[in-house]
Amino acid sequence: MGLTRQYLRYGPAALFGLVGSAKGNVAFLALRGERGRYVAVPACEHVFVWDTRKGEKVVILKGLKQEVSCLCPSPDGLHLAVGYEDGSIRVFSLLSGEVNITFNGHKAAVTAMQYDHLGGRLVSGSKDTDIIVWDVINESGLYRLRGHKDAVTQVLLLKEKNLLVTSGKDTLVKWWDLDTQHCFKTLVGHRTEVWGMALISEEKRLVTGSADSELRVWDITYIQEVKDPDEPESKKSKGSSPGAQENTEEDETLELDEHPEERLVKCSKVGSIMREGRDRVVTLATDRTGKFLACHGTGAVLEVFSVLSEEEIRKKLEKKMKKAKKKAKQNSEEEPEKSVELSLQEEIKRLTNIRASSKIKSFDLFLSPKGELKIVLLLQNNIIESYNLNLAAQVPQAVHASKITIGGHRSDVRTLAFSSDNIAILSAAAESVKVWNRATLQCIRTMDCEYALCSLFVPGDRQVIVGTKTGKLQLYDLASGSLTETLNAHDGAVWSIALSPDQRGFVTGGADKCVKFWEFELVKDESSTQKRLSMKHVRVLQLDEDVLCVRYSPNQKLLAVSLLDCTVKVFYVDTLKFFLSLYGHKLPVLCMDISYDGTLIATGSADRNVKIWGLDFGDCHRSLFAHDDSVMYLQFVAKSHLFFTAGKDSKIKQWDADKFEHIQTLEGHHKEVWCLALSPNGDYVVSASHDKSLRLWERTREPLVLEEEREMEREAEYEESVAKEEQPVVAGETQGETGLAGKKTIETIKAAERIMEAIELYREEMAKLKEHKAICKAAGKEVPFPVNPILRAYGNVTPSAYVLEVFKKVKSSELEESLLVLPFSYVPDLLRLFNEYIHLGSEIELLCRALLFLLKIHFGQITGNHMLVTVIENLKKTTISRVSEARDVLGFNMAGLQYLKREIEAKDEVTFFADATDRFEEKRRKRKKKEKMILAVV
């Protein structure tokens, strides 16, 4: 069968008009050797890296389909972990911009992530209530921690101890011991959701923020278990101490036994710091040093606090003591000294409040080496603002440093238009009109406007007209970027505007039940000698209902008008006499278009249907169920009967009006699509959505076959359903606190299939080899052995080596899940092969990991199988010897590296890495002190 009708595929070309999505968080990055200059922000499915100084986009980390929900830079500044709405995590290299690792474990959006201080582990929390610890170096999941009953809001790893603190919307703060992987303590001091959490004062304090205006502060004390565990504590204390001490120790012992969870950590509430905001905390975080704490609610104010260090606290206490002594002396000599304490408000001091230009969605802090605090804010209206806080000043004031706004609108784009030369794109929103260059995607002009609803380029592409919500028509000149004329056209909103085919005028439809006809005219300007373009009202068509959409037929004989009563009325243009009424939609028709030859009219309605009508008799050719929500925009491709529709279901679809076929779906937007525009040559589609992004789609030269397209859709559906499959429920089994980190995906199933195929090939080849030996024996000479083409492609490897190659190609993060899917019938062969490989000493680490996992999941069947007893015995011997060999090699290498480090240090008389920076900091501190002293003396 040949191609019956050839369609060309439209593909995504670009995403623009977006500065940053408010769904994820903003983060400072160390890029090109600079910290505090570059920031990463989520931008729908991508991550944009902006240079705050120049206001330029530097890097785009490209995502797949899902929206970004969380960002976390690694401690070394070389990588960025990105969490997505579907629960996947991808780690990007900032040097190359490529994806290094992909982790699949969560079933819902990733809400919080944190690296440990070395960058070897990554902890992620999600809306599915689970917390997963990932091994970044081995690229695999370590374990899953279950315990929260609602979405996890924050995860914090402690530097000193192997402990993890997590908070959730279930009002709980949980402490996890990562050595034993269990929750040993739960803080229940919150009445509402815990939205944010931060560690301060060198991890001796925990600050939590919830839905009220107080930040609760908790003291953390780590209990050192020094006592001998065998000896009963009460006896020991009796034998060793006088009465008073004995009692206290006994009390402590009893307390410890009553609260076994306090064996590791004691966490007690110290007090609260009051915020100025009355709403819930949205983000609460510290800078990297932990010296500064900041938080914001749902409003536009960021509150910044300074946390005093132990040294500063000691100095303050000394001052207080001196004052108290003075007072005591003045009052009376005998009065005993009162104990002097610092209040919490003095230890955590409010620095300043920063008021942003709009609601804040997230922020990040960075303390520059110059002692300046840099603050970057991601706002809800598509803006990134950065502030500098000079800490040396007596009263620190935030100075507005930069603002990135030019790359997008503040609100949703409600109308789009293409210029006649296919080069310029016009987009208009509630506050501004922007003109973009299609090729470079740069914003060429920005002009203030009222709330725009419809727009068009005046023929000649030198002016644009915008229809507004207040009923005005605004005419802009593009060369000067100025508003040249404003006319009060309608008493209600101007819902639709259409250029007449002869290009001499246009027609508008409004909420005042009128359709008005306008003509372009040149008028003399008082201020200059030249004439300028203006608009003249020619005639009006009064109707019974609000007008939602107007369209001319290409020969300019007919005018179609869609009304609020769900009908479309067609009138003659010259006499304004009624010609046809198209009725059949259950809800109002929001958009429509007439084909280039004037034979068809397609209407899209809020009832989710698209109807295709003949324009000669007004008969309905076909009704198509187009979208899962209202159809917002519809337009025919130039010189064809193909048309595009945009829906509130965030999809854009292409249809064939002759065959009534759905051709393709353009998926990309994450929220409602408000409008779209096709270029006059039909090569480009541009669309605007509630996710604040504009997307450009380009017609490729790739032919599209409908059967293949449907097949691809079915495959995608199947792949989605695989990921959503639940684990089988076993009666009487309860889920433990820990579990496997990974989840079943289409990738893990494919990997398992590849392993199975390799083992089957191995079995066949071994059988063939046996046969071949028998034939050779019978013939009494060497007969040529046919080599399997797959093995030949791998360079004539042995069948067992081929299985190892396949095994090595399974992604580290998918290994466990792939082995979990593997049927047991393949396991005996695998174990025999493992024995062979380990004996040869190849891939010890990978094989041991797989071997231990297989033993764990198939323990009963393996131990019950007599055939495998000898295999397991052999494995035990070889594995232990090989692993100890590998350990020795590692130990030797480590010792060698440390020896080299000592040699280099001795030779150059310089200290290495960390020590050097510490000493440098110390020197600088001393120098600053000296300068201060000199200044004081002067």
Side-chain angles (χ1 to χ4, degrees):
M1 171 193 133
L3 294 177
T4 47
R5 168 80 192 269
Q6 195 165 345
Y7 302 108
L8 291 176
R9 186 185 296 283
Y10 280 81
L15 171 123
F16 64 107
L18 187 62
V19 176
S21 302
K23 233 177 190 170
N25 59 307
V26 60
F28 273 115
L29 292 184
L31 205 68
R32 300 172 184 175
E34 275 192 77
R35 275 183 187 276
R37 176 173 176 179
Y38 299 99
V39 292
V41 288
C44 289
E45 69 272 29
H46 306 312
V47 175
F48 288 166
V49 179
W50 290 93
D51 178 346
T52 52
R53 210 172 294 164
K54 290 184 180 172
E56 289 174 1
K57 206 181 296 170
V58 192
V59 184
I60 299 176
L61 305 175
K62 289 215 159 89
L64 297 170
K65 271 186 185 172
Q66 299 294 333
E67 261 185 300
V68 174
S69 61
C70 186
L71 301 178
C72 179
S74 66
D76 58 7
L78 298 176
H79 298 95
L80 179 71
V82 182
Y84 294 88
E85 279 288 303
D86 63 345
S88 62
I89 297 169
R90 302 166 88 210
V91 181
F92 287 87
S93 159
L94 291 175
L95 299 173
S96 62
E98 300 294 316
V99 180
N100 284 3
I101 312 164
T102 305
F103 292 133
N104 281 311
H106 293 293
K107 293 186 180 69
V110 179
T111 50
M113 286 194 295
Q114 204 201 6
Y115 276 96
D116 66 357
H117 66 290
L118 294 171
R121 285 179 306 174
L122 176 70
V123 181
S124 62
S126 158
K127 274 188 184 167
D128 64 6
T129 77
D130 288 351
I131 295 135
I132 302 181
V133 182
W134 307 93
D135 182 344
V136 180
I137 295 157
N138 195 22
E139 303 184 8
S140 64
L142 293 173
Y143 40 84
R144 181 188 297 264
L145 302 170
R146 302 188 188 96
H148 281 288
K149 299 281 183 290
D150 204 339
V152 178
T153 53
Q154 183 62 289
V155 292
L156 297 171
L157 274 163
L158 274 71
K159 262 187 206 165
E160 305 303 322
K161 308 260 178 179
N162 197 16
L163 302 179
L164 171 71
V165 198
T166 60
S167 64
K169 278 164 89 171
D170 53 4
T171 78
L172 303 177
V173 173
K174 285 182 170 288
W175 286 78
W176 306 83
D177 181 358
L178 296 185
D179 293 327
T180 55
Q181 296 150 35
H182 80 291
C183 171
F184 65 88
K185 187 177 186 62
T186 304
L187 297 184
V188 286
H190 303 86
R191 299 279 167 82
T192 51
E193 300 96 329
V194 182
W195 288 105
M197 196 169 59
L199 286 164
I200 55 169
S201 309
E202 292 169 358
E203 300 187 344
K204 294 202 176 66
R205 283 221 166 127
L206 181 71
V207 184
T208 56
S210 69
D212 46 26
S213 55
E214 58 175 308
L215 298 177
R216 293 166 178 78
V217 183
W218 309 76
D219 246 338
I220 305 167
T221 40
Y222 304 107
I223 293 160
Q224 306 297 334
E225 293 190 18
V226 199
K227 300 167 185 172
D228 188 353
D230 302 334
E231 195 175 339
E233 288 170 274
S234 51
K235 275 185 190 171
K236 186 168 75 175
S237 60
K238 267 179 194 167
S240 64
S241 56
Q245 195 180 334
E246 169 197 309
N247 284 352
T248 55
E249 286 215 6
E250 265 190 19
D251 289 351
E252 256 179 46
T253 310
L254 285 170
E255 241 179 63
L256 276 181
D257 288 343
E258 276 171 30
H259 308 286
E261 75 275 9
E262 293 192 346
R263 285 283 165 89
L264 293 165
V265 163
K266 239 183 184 169
C267 199
S268 50
K269 191 175 170 189
V270 192
S272 298
I273 308 164
M274 298 311 288
R275 290 167 46 230
E276 284 184 6
R278 288 269 165 273
D279 47 4
R280 75 171 181 91
V281 169
V282 176
T283 328
L284 170 71
T286 61
D287 70 319
R288 287 226 172 137
T289 59
K291 285 179 188 168
F292 298 95
L293 176 76
C295 71
H296 70 88
T298 50
V301 178
L302 179 78
E303 301 178 42
V304 187
F305 301 90
S306 162
V307 182
L308 296 187
S309 64
E310 284 185 6
E311 212 173 289
E312 291 168 317
I313 290 172
R314 203 174 63 245
K315 280 182 187 167
K316 265 207 166 178
L317 274 174
E318 279 171 13
K319 272 188 190 171
K320 268 204 160 182
M321 282 289 281
K322 278 180 187 170
K323 274 189 186 172
K325 278 181 185 172
K326 244 187 191 175
K327 229 179 189 181
K329 262 187 188 174
Q330 283 170 4
N331 292 355
S332 63
E333 299 297 318
E334 293 83 41
E335 197 178 306
E337 273 181 32
K338 293 185 185 108
S339 61
V340 178
E341 278 181 1
L342 277 189
S343 67
L344 193 62
Q345 273 64 27
E346 287 173 302
E347 286 184 40
I348 301 170
K349 182 176 80 189
R350 181 184 293 275
L351 272 183
T352 184
N353 283 2
I354 297 173
R355 183 169 287 280
S357 59
S358 174
K359 285 183 181 174
I360 303 171
K361 279 297 176 187
S362 80
F363 70 91
D364 198 13
L365 309 174
F366 172 71
L367 185 60
S368 69
K370 292 173 186 167
E372 195 176 42
L373 186 66
K374 297 192 171 193
I375 300 161
V376 65
L377 306 175
L378 174 61
L379 307 184
Q380 167 232 356
N381 64 349
N382 207 14
I383 293 182
I384 297 169
E385 285 188 345
S386 60
Y387 293 86
N388 292 341
L389 198 61
N390 185 9
L391 302 167
Q394 204 66 43
V395 181
Q397 282 295 327
V399 181
H400 195 296
S402 66
K403 198 174 188 178
I404 301 172
T405 59
I406 190 82
H409 288 276
R410 305 288 71 81
S411 53
D412 292 3
V413 171
R414 299 309 296 248
T415 171
L416 289 163
F418 249 106
S419 64
S420 58
D421 56 6
N422 309 297
I423 288 173
I425 297 168
L426 165 88
S427 65
E431 80 305 314
S432 64
V433 179
K434 283 181 185 281
V435 179
W436 309 81
N437 180 330
R438 194 214 72 232
T440 61
L441 301 176
Q442 294 299 316
C443 178
I444 315 165
R445 285 273 179 279
T446 301
M447 300 160 289
D448 291 340
C449 71
E450 290 185 28
Y451 199 120
L453 291 175
C454 55
S455 62
L456 57 80
F457 272 92
V458 175
D461 297 335
R462 299 216 178 145
Q463 290 92 3
V464 292
I465 297 172
V466 173
T468 72
K469 206 173 185 175
T470 52
K472 293 191 178 84
L473 283 178
Q474 296 186 307
L475 176 69
Y476 292 90
D477 179 54
L478 291 185
S480 62
S482 59
L483 174 66
T484 55
E485 192 175 357
T486 303
L487 288 178
N488 288 322
H490 291 268
D491 293 338
V494 183
W495 285 117
S496 184
I497 186 166
L499 190 68
S500 64
D502 64 4
Q503 302 199 334
R504 289 183 181 171
F506 61 94
V507 62
T508 58
D512 58 354
K513 307 178 183 178
C514 290
V515 174
K516 293 192 177 181
F517 294 82
W518 307 80
E519 274 181 9
F520 298 120
E521 62 171 355
L522 291 169
V523 295
K524 198 125 194 206
D525 212 347
E526 298 89 51
S527 54
S528 71
T529 53
Q530 289 176 329
K531 286 186 173 180
R532 67 170 176 81
L533 186 90
S534 178
M535 308 167 278
K536 184 172 74 176
H537 179 218
V538 188
R539 51 191 180 147
V540 63
L541 169 64
Q542 187 67 44
L543 294 154
D544 302 333
E545 293 281 346
D546 289 16
V547 177
L548 297 177
C549 189
V550 288
R551 286 291 178 268
Y552 271 112
S553 67
N555 57 10
Q556 210 170 326
K557 283 192 176 162
L558 301 172
L559 178 77
V561 181
S562 125
L563 301 173
L564 202 57
D565 62 2
C566 313
T567 63
V568 174
K569 302 257 194 298
V570 185
F571 297 91
Y572 290 106
V573 173
D574 45 6
T575 59
L576 297 186
K577 289 250 176 78
F578 174 75
F579 171 47
L580 287 172
S581 178
L582 314 176
Y583 54 88
H585 282 292
K586 295 181 183 66
L587 289 169
V589 173
L590 303 177
C591 52
M592 59 183 177
D593 200 16
I594 297 174
S595 65
Y596 75 104
D597 52 5
T599 54
L600 298 174
I601 176 169
T603 58
S605 157
D607 63 9
R608 306 182 284 183
N609 290 317
V610 165
K611 289 186 192 286
I612 298 162
W613 318 74
L615 204 51
D616 37 11
F617 304 111
D619 53 326
C620 180
H621 291 183
R622 184 66 64 96
S623 182
L624 304 164
F625 181 69
H627 290 269
D628 297 332
D629 209 333
S630 306
V631 183
M632 296 304 292
Y633 207 87
L634 186 153
Q635 193 176 348
F636 273 98
V637 179
K639 302 200 170 35
S640 77
H641 281 182
L642 307 178
F643 65 92
F644 278 94
T645 58
K648 268 192 177 177
D649 59 354
S650 76
K651 291 185 176 68
I652 296 163
K653 295 186 180 181
Q654 189 187 13
W655 308 82
D656 185 342
D658 292 331
K659 292 218 161 88
F660 318 119
E661 292 261 27
H662 168 215
I663 302 167
Q664 78 170 120
T665 303
L666 303 178
E667 284 186 0
H669 285 294
H670 301 288
K671 298 266 174 72
E672 302 92 318
V673 182
W674 296 128
C675 54
L676 55 84
L678 274 115
S679 63
N681 62 7
D683 280 346
Y684 298 96
V685 181
V686 64
S687 56
S689 158
H690 184 43
D691 61 19
K692 295 215 170 47
S693 70
L694 298 173
R695 281 172 196 267
L696 184 67
W697 313 84
E698 190 177 7
R699 181 158 59 187
T700 60
R701 301 272 76 86
E702 179 194 344
L704 182 145
V705 180
L706 290 180
E707 284 80 9
E708 277 178 22
E709 196 66 16
R710 296 299 92 86
E711 183 61 36
M712 275 157 66
E713 278 171 23
R714 281 194 293 273
E715 265 178 33
E717 233 171 77
Y718 165 68
E719 286 182 14
E720 242 175 66
S721 68
V722 161
K724 282 179 184 159
E725 270 177 31
E726 287 299 316
Q727 295 299 326
V729 178
V730 182
E733 256 192 29
T734 52
Q735 270 199 335
E737 236 179 5
T738 56
L740 277 179
K743 73 169 180 184
K744 186 175 168 187
T745 61
I746 197 75
E747 271 77 31
T748 60
I749 292 170
K750 282 178 183 168
E753 282 172 358
R754 285 197 296 274
I755 296 171
M756 281 151 63
E757 280 167 14
I759 293 171
E760 275 163 11
L761 185 135
Y762 165 75
R763 286 174 183 167
E764 283 168 21
E765 288 301 304
M766 293 322 272
K768 277 185 196 168
L769 206 64
K770 244 186 194 172
E771 271 177 38
H772 178 252
K773 276 181 185 167
I775 291 166
C776 288
K777 211 175 184 183
K781 61 174 182 186
E782 196 65 41
V783 179
F785 178 64
V787 181
N788 189 308
I790 295 175
L791 298 180
R792 183 173 289 152
Y794 274 81
N796 282 345
V797 291
T798 60
S800 59
Y802 170 68
V803 178
L804 182 62
E805 280 300 313
V806 170
F807 215 80
K808 272 158 50 180
K809 280 189 181 153
V810 177
K811 276 187 186 166
S812 182
S813 55
E814 291 163 7
L815 183 67
E816 275 88 359
E817 284 296 324
S818 307
L819 291 173
L820 205 54
V821 180
L822 200 70
F824 182 73
S825 56
Y826 293 93
V827 174
D829 285 319
L830 255 186
L831 292 178
R832 288 189 187 95
L833 285 166
F834 281 1
N835 193 15
E836 189 183 315
Y837 304 144
I838 293 172
H839 196 74
L840 295 168
S842 49
E843 300 292 331
I844 300 293
E845 203 178 325
L846 172 72
L847 295 174
C848 284
R849 187 176 144 202
L851 171 66
L852 294 173
F853 185 74
L854 284 173
L855 289 174
K856 192 161 114 189
I857 57 173
H858 297 301
F859 181 75
Q861 283 164 296
I862 290 172
T863 47
N865 192 333
H866 292 301
M867 308 279 283
L868 291 175
V869 173
T870 49
V871 180
I872 293 291
E873 281 297 322
N874 291 340
L875 268 170
K876 189 174 155 188
K877 285 177 201 161
T878 47
T879 308
I880 291 169
S881 65
R882 286 293 179 189
V883 167
S884 58
E885 267 175 41
R887 203 169 53 210
D888 292 346
V889 169
L890 282 174
F892 182 80
N893 290 347
M894 283 290 289
L897 286 169
Q898 273 168 349
Y899 169 73
L900 284 171
K901 176 183 158 184
R902 285 197 299 274
E903 283 290 297
I904 294 167
E905 281 179 3
K907 192 185 284 176
D908 299 349
E909 289 182 347
V910 293
T911 46
F912 238 41
F913 313 130
D915 319 343
T917 50
D918 287 349
R919 288 187 192 177
F920 176 67
E921 287 289 323
E922 191 63 39
K923 271 185 190 167
R924 209 167 67 212
R925 243 179 262 131
K926 280 182 184 167
R927 194 165 64 239
K928 271 197 179 163
K929 243 188 196 169
K930 233 186 206 170
E931 283 169 10
K932 274 185 187 168
M933 279 165 74
I934 292 164
L935 282 170
V937 170
V938 170

